[in-house]
Amino acid sequence: EEFRDGWGGRKALVITGEQDKQTPPGHIRRAVSSLDQIKMEVTTHYLPGGHHFLFLSEQEQVSKLIGAWLTSL
């Protein structure tokens, strides 16, 4: 309840890899669903070949996604 009251209505960006074994995409989808329930505005990107360390393996794409998201705020 405290989390909902503090974070409901805020925006969030989630970028994850479909091949992530440490944090499987199914876990991320459930977490995003929970955030949607408290009315957070969540922008999600599931990178098809991405693994856990996207900021290293997909640096250019991740940077572009973050930049575009920040510009949209």
Side-chain angles (χ1 to χ4, degrees):
E1 191 172 300
E2 206 171 303
F3 182 83
R4 180 196 66 223
D5 293 342
W7 287 89
R10 292 186 186 207
K11 296 181 181 190
L13 172 64
V14 175
I15 304 171
T16 191
E18 286 288 355
Q19 305 306 314
D20 190 337
K21 303 293 186 221
Q22 285 81 9
T23 311
H27 292 283
I28 301 300
R29 286 183 174 88
R30 285 190 291 280
V32 168
S33 178
S34 295
L35 298 175
D36 287 339
Q37 290 176 13
I38 64 168
K39 307 296 184 226
M40 284 187 71
E41 288 184 47
V42 183
T43 301
T44 57
H45 296 279
Y46 297 91
L47 306 184
H51 294 277
H52 191 68
F53 293 103
L54 292 174
F55 59 92
L56 296 175
S57 63
E58 305 290 337
Q59 187 176 27
E60 186 175 336
Q61 186 174 10
V62 169
S63 292
K64 286 180 182 179
L65 292 170
I66 292 170
W69 184 76
L70 289 172
T71 301
S72 76
L73 298 178

